[in-house]
């Protein structure tokens, strides 16, 4: 599994809300400034599905990122399986200096693990800036 992590200087309630609500997801969930989320839906419960559309700002490419939740603990943990069968685990740990968000995910085989870690970390860093 690949791991990325960030400390977000906010309450766990705000971090959770901004991470899970579609109106916030579309504002931060991208790895670089030349991409953006054009759509997001999120049914946050075990068996619930999520779907986000990522598109290049020049309109030349887009793709959907979707999956189904397999485990969930409010304000603490979410686990899901992406529709390509990879697993993801995201924990929210309340600390004195903020919330530590840790994402662990199965790598895919098309890109190097270093590139995948860099991309997922960039998304997490965008979240940190947005909050």
């Amino acid at each position: 599994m690949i791991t990325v992590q960030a400390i977000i200087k906010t309450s766990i309630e705000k971090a959770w809300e901004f991470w899970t609500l579609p109106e916030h997801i579309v504002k931060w969930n991208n790895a670089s400034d030349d991409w953006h989320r054009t759509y997001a839906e999120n049914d946050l419960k075990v068996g619930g599905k999520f779907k986000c559309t990522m598109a290049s700002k020049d309109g030349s490419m887009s793709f959907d990122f979707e999956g189904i939740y397999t485990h969930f603990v409010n304000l603490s943990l979410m686990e899901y399986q992406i529709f390509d069968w990879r697993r993801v685990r995201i924990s929210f740990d309340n600390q004195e200096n903020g919330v530590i968000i840790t994402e662990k995910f199965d790598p895919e085989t098309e890109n190097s693990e270093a590139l995948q870690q860099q991309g997922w970390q960039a998304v997490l860093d965008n979240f940190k800036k947005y909050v």
Side-chain angles (χ1 to χ4, degrees):
M1 291 198 103
I2 298 172
T3 301
V4 296
Q5 189 174 68
I7 297 173
I8 315 299
K9 294 185 179 187
T10 191
S11 68
I12 198 159
E13 293 83 5
K14 183 176 179 182
W16 187 263
E17 177 183 329
F18 279 29
W19 189 273
T20 60
L21 293 179
E23 60 264 30
H24 293 293
I25 294 168
V26 296
K27 294 179 181 172
W28 62 264
N29 197 320
N30 56 289
S32 65
D33 290 338
D34 52 343
W35 287 83
H36 63 135
R37 291 282 178 191
T38 59
Y39 174 81
E41 66 181 59
N42 193 21
D43 185 14
L44 189 57
K45 64 182 180 189
V46 173
K49 295 179 182 178
F50 67 87
K51 180 178 179 179
C52 302
T53 301
M54 173 88 66
S56 60
K57 287 186 177 176
D58 68 7
S60 63
M61 294 180 279
S62 72
F63 65 91
D64 289 333
F65 182 77
E66 54 189 315
I68 188 165
Y69 290 101
T70 57
H71 186 72
F72 164 79
V73 179
N74 193 40
L75 300 176
S76 177
L77 176 70
M78 61 181 72
E79 294 178 355
Y80 57 84
Q81 188 168 7
I82 307 169
F83 282 159
D84 66 3
W85 304 107
R86 292 184 295 140
R87 295 166 299 141
V88 179
R89 181 182 201 276
I90 306 168
S91 62
F92 293 71
D93 296 306
N94 208 12
Q95 301 289 317
E96 220 175 88
N97 59 342
V99 179
I100 299 175
I101 298 177
T102 305
E103 291 185 82
K104 295 182 179 196
F105 62 95
D106 291 333
E108 41 95 345
T109 56
E110 195 171 310
N111 297 291
S112 72
E113 288 190 17
L115 184 62
Q116 292 175 67
Q117 184 173 29
Q118 180 183 16
W120 284 57
Q121 185 67 54
V123 173
L124 187 53
D125 291 344
N126 274 345
F127 178 76
K128 183 177 182 173
K129 283 187 253 178
Y130 177 71
V131 173

